[in-house]
Amino acid sequence: MIESHNTKGLIFNVQYYSIHDGPGIRTTVFMKGCPLKCLWCQNPESQRLQREIFFELEKCTGCGICVQACSEGAIELFEGRSRTNRKKCSGTGRCAEVCPVEARKIMGRSVTAKEVFEEVARDALFYQRSGGGVTLSGGEPLAQPRFAVSVLKLCKDAGIHTTVDTCGYASWDTVQQVLSYADLVLYDFKHIDPAEHKRYTGVSNELILDNARKIYHELAIPMLARVPIIPTYNDSADNIKATTQFISSELGKNIKVHLLPYHRLGETKYERLEKMDLAVLIEPPAEEQMLALQEIVQSFGLEAVLGG
Ligand code: SF4
Ligand code: SF4
């Protein structure tokens, strides 16, 4: 894969001083685009590999300036507020530029690998002192492989520790090329049963599990397992047992398992994207349940951590 400082990618956030995405103090770069569509997705703004509008209805005064500014004819006024036809919107961001009350924000920034590296490198001193570095997350970093490789290589060459947070759904060729520049992999296990995995995320997990085995055994990159706990979807004791069984027997007992309780912070994002039809209401798991699931993981001899 040809990597270059000028390779462009689409990101939607850069989080500084992050302490949940790998060791030490880190900068997490959130990339756009994901091949999965988890029903409970807490970052729906990450899913599409294109720029899109985040709209705060309560701020909109219905002035109509954005309607005039949109060359695609994607905005109309309805009941005193603007609304966007997402099929027509091409993500120019013009409406966000002209809105006088900042009710519109463009989600997605096109940047070169070098620009991202320069943002990340600013905190090099913190990384050295804390054992931190950079984490590529998303969305799915493997969905923009050339960009991911370019950023990771620049960071590695500068002595910055690199972590990739991935769902593992990509061709082995892509996985291998991107992760050859990773010092650590955060690997998601959303459901161990292939049919349930497909039902909740849109894809089966066979490729994902296969890639996990190869990353661990062939590439020998340190791995940390991340299991989101989503009530009624994947939080049964049986699923956590079977997931831990897979990790301990097919990968290794030295893999630390992070159980991540569902939180509701992502719910308003569906409103902002005008995708309320896709929002699901889920109550976060109770602390007792999280402790019980932690015990299950520990019973296999694995270290289990609650949270990031
Ligand atoms: S420009 Fe802003 S305030 Fe005016 S209608 Fe559009 S979104 Fe609403
Ligand atoms: S981002 Fe561009 S195309 Fe989309 S609604 Fe705004 S002005 Fe129209």
Side-chain angles (χ1 to χ4, degrees):
M1 193 172 298
I2 306 160
E3 102 292 334
S4 149
H5 296 187
N6 296 322
T7 304
K8 283 208 154 194
L10 196 61
I11 65 173
F12 67 96
N13 193 15
V14 177
Q15 193 174 321
Y16 300 97
Y17 310 113
S18 167
I19 51 165
H20 296 297
D21 299 314
I25 295 172
R26 313 192 70 81
T27 296
T28 304
V29 180
F30 291 91
M31 295 168 57
K32 247 178 152 322
C34 183
L36 272 57
K37 296 280 171 291
C38 302
L39 292 180
W40 55 77
C41 181
Q42 291 161 304
N43 284 329
E45 75 277 34
S46 72
Q47 290 183 345
R48 295 178 70 195
L49 191 41
Q50 69 174 67
R51 299 191 340 146
E52 53 197 325
I53 286 293
F54 235 45
F55 175 53
E56 292 182 62
L57 179 76
E58 61 281 9
K59 283 191 183 170
C60 176
T61 60
C63 70
I65 294 174
C66 57
V67 179
Q68 303 304 321
C70 179
S71 55
E72 312 285 347
I75 311 176
E76 63 177 357
L77 291 182
F78 177 73
E79 296 181 347
R81 310 276 171 94
S82 72
R83 71 175 177 188
T84 311
N85 181 335
R86 302 268 163 175
K87 289 201 179 109
K88 285 188 178 175
C89 172
S90 58
T92 64
R94 182 80 188 112
C95 56
E97 285 165 20
V98 299
C99 175
V101 293
E102 297 182 355
R104 290 174 169 266
K105 193 171 151 194
I106 191 80
M107 200 46 75
R109 179 159 63 103
S110 176
V111 282
T112 64
K114 186 156 179 275
E115 285 164 343
V116 171
F117 167 70
E118 283 167 355
E119 282 187 48
V120 167
R122 271 185 233 151
D123 283 344
L125 209 58
F126 288 113
Y127 311 147
Q128 275 168 24
R129 287 186 184 153
S130 68
V134 66
T135 299
L136 296 190
S137 184
E140 172 51 57
L142 301 179
Q144 300 186 65
R146 277 193 61 190
F147 177 64
V149 163
S150 304
V151 174
L152 292 170
K153 185 168 187 310
L154 279 167
C155 291
K156 267 193 91 75
D157 287 349
I160 296 173
H161 179 274
T162 56
T163 294
V164 175
D165 175 15
T166 179
C167 72
Y169 191 79
S171 71
W172 176 241
D173 195 37
T174 297
V175 171
Q176 209 173 2
Q177 295 197 48
V178 175
L179 295 191
S180 61
Y181 294 98
D183 295 312
L184 172 70
V185 183
L186 310 182
Y187 208 82
D188 298 348
F189 293 89
K190 296 171 195 291
H191 207 296
I192 201 67
D193 179 76
E196 295 290 283
H197 197 282
K198 186 165 173 46
R199 200 162 114 199
Y200 299 140
T201 72
V203 304
S204 173
N205 63 358
E206 279 139 344
L207 177 66
I208 293 169
L209 298 182
D210 209 34
N211 281 339
R213 289 185 195 96
K214 288 178 172 166
I215 292 166
Y216 188 79
H217 295 292
E218 292 180 26
L219 301 185
I221 302 172
M223 185 186 274
L224 206 148
R226 295 183 129 189
V227 183
I229 302 298
I230 320 292
T232 75
Y233 291 92
N234 71 353
D235 65 329
S236 69
D238 283 350
N239 181 48
I240 299 307
K241 264 185 212 156
T243 303
T244 313
Q245 173 72 43
F246 173 85
I247 294 169
S248 68
S249 63
E250 304 236 9
L251 303 179
K253 286 213 184 281
N254 59 340
I255 292 185
K256 201 191 274 185
V257 178
H258 284 246
L259 300 172
L260 311 174
Y262 175 81
H263 61 73
R264 302 185 65 174
L265 300 177
E267 282 176 9
T268 52
K269 295 179 178 178
Y270 286 90
E271 276 173 42
R272 306 276 187 252
L273 292 165
E274 296 169 287
K275 284 184 180 169
M276 277 314 283
D277 52 320
L278 299 180
V280 288
L281 290 178
I282 301 170
E283 284 299 324
E287 201 186 334
E288 309 80 69
Q289 185 190 7
M290 291 300 298
L291 291 170
L293 297 178
Q294 183 181 34
E295 273 183 28
I296 291 176
V297 177
Q298 288 166 338
S299 72
F300 283 81
L302 268 64
E303 188 178 347
V305 178
L306 298 186

